[in-house]
Amino acid sequence: MEKIFVKPLKRHGSLWIYQNEILSDITHINAGSLVKVFEEKTNKIIGTGYINPQSVIAVRLLSFGDEQINKNFLRERIQKSHKYREDFLGLKESYRLIFSESDFLPGLIVDKYGKCLVIQILTAGMERLKDLIVEILDKLLVPEVIILRNDAQPRVKEGLKVEKMVIKGCVDNLIMTKEDDLKFYFDPLHGQKTGFFLDQRENRLYLKSLISSGEGLDLFCYVGAWSIHLAKRGANITGIDSSEKAIEIAKQNAMLNNVQDKCRFIKADVFDYLRWEAKKGKKYDFIVVDPPAFVKSRQEKKDAIESYVNLNRMALKLLRKNGILATSSCSQHISETDFLEIIKKTFKASKKTGILLYKGTQSKDHPILLTMPETSYLKCLMLRVF
């Protein structure tokens, strides 16, 4: 394992070391190779990790000590993550088992949906460890199906092939997962991310404690999780999404939970739909706004803020007095403070005011590492509008 030397690091506890912080020549080291990192001035070890000389984040640490990164190391890390979810959080059926840096396994995402595991490997270092990881997960959880969703764009920057495949079992039909007292079909092979958005679980459950009647909208509804929770409580709701496949699955989920008379799902562009409803003078009792990430880099932040303001302004226009707005951002480059300011700006532009009922983040199986603000990405606000 090669030794490399770095400048004194300013971000205590971060697992990332950038190119401009490295003093050693690393151009000859193969992407994904394991390295030991030392501070040049003191010769003190910083940690053990893997390197990619072509990446801006050149080293991702797996440990803050001098350790052998082998099967035993990986097994202990994965078992610790598993124990946290099942023993501490009490999650058994479906949850995010491994959340990359937050579980000290940077570049690795694993979601468990009953007997199905969906794995995402995002970096060259984790790609080299893939076979060991799959072997450990298979033995620990004994899943019937294992899917590799290695089709995320970060792999391109790492010089990795973009692909997806079933490496154990078969996926002929949709997979089913459970959330609270509801069941949901989803597509783990072709759907967004790993197929279902587990990170909004706690926010969905909170919103349905506020709403038990009325008429509402679920914008960017995907497979209908928000809609069906609210419909089960007694509300009437219309879900909007531009994906025909997602809308078809949402309709199946409504029937699965016997709320098809309370839900309708429409394939449409959300912005276009909101304009149509405004022209008709339509009003709703509640609106859920859960868009995909509008910003993928800091350079896009200004345009993203404008998109969030426009979207939420259009939603506010359709809300009745005392209506509820549940709005989210999953853009990592939009901080909690940024998002609060966006919503304040939106209310001011709409000449409305409101009370903040709830401020949420990602579910607890997506833990936030305090020394890495990058691991905090989801913001969810629920407001009563006047």
Side-chain angles (χ1 to χ4, degrees):
M1 195 184 301
E2 191 150 350
K3 288 175 64 173
I4 65 168
F5 292 90
V6 298
K7 301 174 184 178
L9 301 178
K10 297 178 181 179
R11 301 175 323 282
H12 173 74
S14 175
L15 301 181
W16 294 354
I17 298 174
Y18 291 88
Q19 283 273 5
N20 60 8
E21 295 174 314
I22 296 176
L23 298 171
S24 302
D25 178 14
I26 61 172
T27 56
H28 63 286
I29 306 177
N30 292 327
S33 297
L34 294 170
V35 293
K36 293 182 181 180
V37 183
F38 292 82
E39 184 182 275
E40 186 185 54
K41 191 174 182 180
T42 61
N43 203 35
K44 179 183 176 182
I45 189 160
I46 301 295
T48 309
Y50 58 78
I51 194 166
N52 189 342
Q54 284 74 51
S55 176
V56 174
I57 304 171
V59 175
R60 297 174 196 258
L61 296 176
L62 293 160
S63 167
F64 291 119
D66 183 354
E67 295 199 53
Q68 291 297 314
I69 309 302
N70 52 28
K71 187 175 181 179
N72 287 335
F73 174 90
L74 293 171
R75 184 190 296 110
E76 287 179 12
R77 279 286 159 85
I78 291 171
Q79 286 175 335
K80 185 176 180 181
S81 297
H82 181 245
K83 185 175 178 63
Y84 169 69
R85 272 72 176 182
E86 297 219 339
D87 292 352
F88 187 70
L89 297 181
L91 299 171
K92 304 293 183 184
E93 177 70 21
S94 299
Y95 53 82
R96 176 149 292 183
L97 172 61
I98 297 171
F99 184 41
S100 199
E101 281 80 4
S102 292
D103 288 296
F104 294 91
L105 288 167
L108 178 64
I109 300 287
V110 182
D111 284 342
K112 175 184 180 294
Y113 300 105
K115 289 292 185 179
C116 173
L117 289 184
V118 185
I119 302 171
Q120 282 191 320
I121 292 173
L122 305 173
T123 57
M126 276 298 163
E127 184 73 19
R128 287 198 173 203
L129 299 170
K130 178 178 69 178
D131 292 343
L132 282 177
I133 290 166
V134 171
E135 181 184 343
I136 293 164
L137 288 168
D138 194 19
K139 188 171 182 179
L140 176 66
L141 296 168
V142 197
E144 295 174 1
V145 176
I146 301 178
I147 297 169
L148 286 183
R149 281 297 301 265
N150 291 340
D151 54 343
Q153 283 306 300
R155 286 179 64 89
V156 176
K157 295 180 181 179
E158 288 280 312
L160 298 173
K161 184 178 178 181
V162 174
E163 59 187 357
K164 50 188 176 182
M165 65 186 79
V166 180
I167 59 173
K168 181 181 180 181
C170 62
V171 183
D172 296 328
N173 300 299
L174 299 175
I175 297 290
M176 184 189 291
T177 187
K178 295 179 182 177
E179 186 171 276
D180 202 20
D181 58 344
L182 302 178
K183 298 176 181 179
F184 295 95
Y185 289 125
F186 68 99
D187 186 346
L189 192 57
H190 305 293
Q192 295 180 37
K193 302 293 184 179
T194 67
F196 192 78
F197 291 101
L198 296 165
D199 52 2
Q200 287 277 25
R201 179 197 301 109
E202 290 155 28
N203 300 324
R204 285 191 286 261
L205 298 185
Y206 188 85
L207 182 60
K208 77 175 187 178
S209 74
L210 299 177
I211 294 171
S212 59
S213 62
E215 184 182 7
L217 282 179
D218 179 5
L219 306 178
F220 307 95
C221 68
Y222 190 42
V223 297
W226 290 94
S227 295
I228 290 161
H229 273 292
L230 296 172
K232 198 70 173 179
R233 283 276 290 161
N236 293 293
I237 189 159
T238 301
I240 311 298
D241 202 281
S242 61
S243 167
E244 186 171 352
K245 179 69 179 294
I247 289 295
E248 288 305 312
I249 296 174
K251 291 176 181 178
Q252 291 183 56
N253 284 330
M255 289 188 287
L256 178 66
N257 292 282
N258 198 30
V259 291
Q260 62 271 26
D261 59 331
K262 290 285 188 178
C263 298
R264 65 173 182 152
F265 294 100
I266 299 172
K267 178 186 178 298
D269 176 86
V270 164
F271 288 90
D272 288 343
Y273 191 85
L274 291 174
R275 290 187 192 99
W276 298 333
E277 294 294 89
K279 284 181 180 178
K280 293 187 294 184
K282 181 70 177 177
K283 295 292 181 180
Y284 291 92
D285 299 300
F286 60 90
I287 298 179
V288 176
V289 182
D290 188 12
F294 284 152
V295 51
K296 300 294 179 67
S297 68
R298 295 187 188 281
Q299 291 72 29
E300 300 171 349
K301 185 173 178 179
K302 184 178 179 181
D303 290 341
I305 288 173
E306 186 176 344
S307 295
Y308 281 117
V309 170
N310 288 337
L311 175 61
N312 284 280
R313 179 181 53 78
M314 293 170 77
L316 279 177
K317 191 173 182 179
L318 299 182
L319 271 173
R320 292 190 177 98
K321 188 176 181 180
N322 294 319
I324 291 177
L325 175 70
T327 183
S328 297
S329 167
C330 62
S331 299
Q332 185 260 314
H333 295 289
I334 301 290
S335 69
E336 180 182 316
T337 301
D338 290 335
F339 195 53
L340 279 168
E341 288 303 313
I342 286 168
I343 300 306
K344 287 179 186 177
K345 182 178 179 180
T346 303
F347 270 75
K348 185 176 180 180
S350 303
K351 297 182 180 179
K352 293 181 183 290
T353 188
I355 293 175
L356 182 62
L357 303 173
Y358 171 85
K359 184 166 63 174
T361 184
Q362 62 233 43
S363 297
K364 295 182 182 66
D365 52 346
H366 296 61
I368 297 168
L369 187 61
L370 288 180
T371 52
M372 288 202 70
E374 297 87 354
T375 61
S376 175
Y377 68 95
L378 183 61
K379 288 76 57 181
C380 181
L381 304 177
M382 298 181 193
L383 307 104
R384 184 173 292 280
V385 180
F386 301 117

